[in-house]
Amino acid sequence: MTPYPDESAARTLVVRTARSLFTRGLTHGSTGNLSVRLADGTLLLTPTGSSLGTVEEGELSRTDLRGEHLDGPRPTKEAFLHAAFYRARPAANAVVHLHSTHAAAVSCLDGVDPANALPPLTAYYAMRVGTLPLLPYHAPGDGSLEPLAERTARTHHALLLANHGPVIAGPSMEQAADAIEELEETAKLHLLLRGHTTRPLTPEQAAVLAPPSP
């Protein structure tokens, strides 16, 4: 995949994906943000304070790869996080960050493995997400998260922010959105199965399905 060459089509894609995520309950209120990488190297993002259920194509923001605002409304306060993923992952052309209920719930649990917050319960989770590092809590918009997120994103396309929610990058918006939805469903399964003996994929089975490196 290459960066999105047609800005108008990219705006349509961001808004269409935002609507889909919102109407299916994967985000709520004014939480969550999406972005794509354009062919000129700039990023198109949902703006700060917007709802993914109502944001319009003309309301999207543009930043550079440092997260600096270039034009349009003020970008999401987590623009630096999107920029960190794009710098770390040259093949990424879309980033999705949600506060989806079950993934956020896992991010609040005590004793979660910071190296891998969810077990590979299904083959599709192993394929679309792989391992899921849990990053320590930072307040929303806290730029001190940026260097840690960038370092971790070099080897993982999906992260879980403690007491917050997931972030996933993908070669396309469709792939990033599919992956974050798979993550949410696996988090739901994980919570439903708490207290039961589970049979996740073995490390060998998961390794065969693991997503490619950046």
Side-chain angles (χ1 to χ4, degrees), residues 73-89:
R74 192 157 55 95
T76 167
K77 67 175 69 71
E78 287 154 340
F80 69 87
L81 190 58
H82 290 252
F85 265 83
Y86 290 115
R87 293 194 305 268
R89 305 189 69 82

Side-chain angles (χ1 to χ4, degrees), residues 11-25:
R11 287 176 179 270
T12 300
L13 174 64
V14 169
V15 169
R16 184 173 70 237
T17 306
R19 291 284 191 281
S20 174
L21 295 170
F22 186 89
T23 57
R24 291 182 298 116

Side-chain angles (χ1 to χ4, degrees), residues 80 138-139 141-149:
F80 69 87
H138 291 71
D142 182 353
S144 66
L145 174 60
E146 184 171 5
L148 174 60

Side-chain angles (χ1 to χ4, degrees), residues 14-211:
V14 169
V15 169
R16 184 173 70 237
T17 306
R19 291 284 191 281
S20 174
L21 295 170
F22 186 89
T23 57
R24 291 182 298 116
L26 288 158
T27 191
H28 57 276
S30 60
T31 64
N33 33 80
L34 285 66
S35 67
V36 293
R37 191 198 310 248
L38 298 175
D40 64 3
T42 63
L43 311 179
L44 201 59
L45 308 94
T46 51
T48 189
S50 67
S51 167
L52 298 189
T54 59
V55 67
E56 299 290 349
E57 294 178 21
E59 297 171 348
L60 301 183
S61 308
R62 188 197 299 273
T63 73
D64 63 18
L65 272 179
R66 299 184 305 278
E68 296 294 326
H69 186 199
L70 298 176
D71 60 57
R74 192 157 55 95
T76 167
K77 67 175 69 71
E78 287 154 340
F80 69 87
L81 190 58
H82 290 252
F85 265 83
Y86 290 115
R87 293 194 305 268
R89 305 189 69 82
N93 295 309
V95 173
V96 178
H97 166 49
L98 299 178
H99 299 183
S100 50
T101 301
H102 298 91
V106 170
S107 82
C108 298
L109 292 175
D110 190 27
V112 172
D113 181 0
N116 194 14
L118 281 174
L121 293 173
T122 69
Y124 282 96
Y125 177 81
M127 280 191 289
R128 291 178 176 161
V129 179
T131 55
L132 181 67
L134 175 70
L135 300 193
Y137 175 75
H138 291 71
D142 182 353
S144 66
L145 174 60
E146 184 171 5
L148 174 60
E150 184 171 355
R151 286 196 304 273
T152 311
R154 289 176 189 145
T155 51
H156 299 84
H157 76 292
L159 307 178
L160 186 61
L161 309 179
N163 304 86
H164 192 159
V167 191
I168 290 191
S172 70
M173 178 60 77
E174 292 86 353
Q175 287 167 284
D178 282 350
I180 209 163
E181 188 165 358
E182 194 70 45
L183 192 161
E184 171 65 7
E185 288 302 307
T186 301
K188 183 177 182 179
L189 285 175
H190 177 64
L191 294 169
L192 285 170
L193 291 168
R194 280 172 68 81
H196 296 272
T197 301
T198 59
R199 190 183 63 253
L201 273 64
T202 67
E204 294 76 19
Q205 289 169 331
V208 170
L209 300 170

